[in-house]
Amino acid sequence: MSDRTERAELTVMVMVNKKGTDLVAVQERRKGSWDGLIFPGGHLERGESFACAAVREVKEETGLDVSRLCCCGVVHWSHRTRAERYLAVLYRAEAEGELLPATEEGRNFWMPIAEFRAAEGKSPAMDEYLTCFLGEAGELFAEYDEDGTDPLVRQKERER
């Protein structure tokens, strides 16, 4: 691997609005480091685009077919000493139809976006992710190692 090459874990997350409302599809996960209230998402499969992964993950985790898929940001976490990075491309979308009440990811339900913003028990860093989903930031970045993680920083603020 060259000095410019990093191993990357590629993921997506999607804020799905119920068409014509202020409701968003929320998952309540209880399966590991991303426990809490979160939007649907997951890992890319080999050879899959970010957009196709977003559509697939929403369908698998909620049963919803999305439309008006729009990329709204990127979050990346870089290891301080190893050439490793975790990258999440964030999308907004609309959906109609029946939301599955639960999947192996956790319980699903619709929630007004204002209530989600104010909710306790969100998954780690969801408040920061919301800045991208809601158009307040386009990129978030943090470094991590075995001792912990720096706070996510909006890229615009880092450049000042």
Side-chain angles (χ1 to χ4, degrees), residues 30 39 49 102 109 111 132:
R30 296 284 177 248
F39 296 141
S49 73
F109 54 95
M111 177 183 249
C132 289

Side-chain angles (χ1 to χ4, degrees), residues 16-133:
V16 180
N17 284 91
K18 186 172 187 179
K19 191 172 182 179
T21 74
D22 70 340
L23 301 175
V24 292
V26 176
Q27 293 180 330
E28 184 176 32
R29 289 192 184 172
R30 296 284 177 248
K31 61 179 283 183
S33 62
W34 290 96
D35 283 357
L37 302 178
I38 195 168
F39 296 141
H43 290 83
L44 273 70
E45 294 177 355
R46 184 175 294 278
E48 185 176 43
S49 73
F50 287 100
C52 287
V55 170
R56 177 185 51 75
E57 286 288 348
V58 169
K59 182 68 172 181
E60 289 174 4
E61 295 183 8
T62 68
L64 298 171
D65 292 311
V66 295
S67 61
R68 300 177 52 108
L69 187 69
C70 176
C71 184
C72 58
V74 63
V75 179
H76 51 121
W77 309 74
S78 180
H79 195 281
R80 287 188 186 95
T81 58
R82 295 190 303 259
E84 296 175 1
R85 190 172 294 246
Y86 174 89
L87 178 77
V89 176
L90 309 180
Y91 289 90
R92 287 187 300 264
E94 288 184 347
E96 295 180 282
E98 288 296 315
L99 180 65
L100 294 174
T103 66
E104 66 181 43
E105 298 297 326
R107 183 173 71 97
N108 294 317
F109 54 95
W110 294 108
M111 177 183 249
I113 186 63
E115 284 183 28
F116 183 79
R117 287 188 86 166
E120 295 290 324
K122 288 189 289 285
S123 189
M126 276 307 294
D127 286 328
E128 290 83 359
Y129 279 45
L130 279 170
T131 65
C132 289
F133 285 118

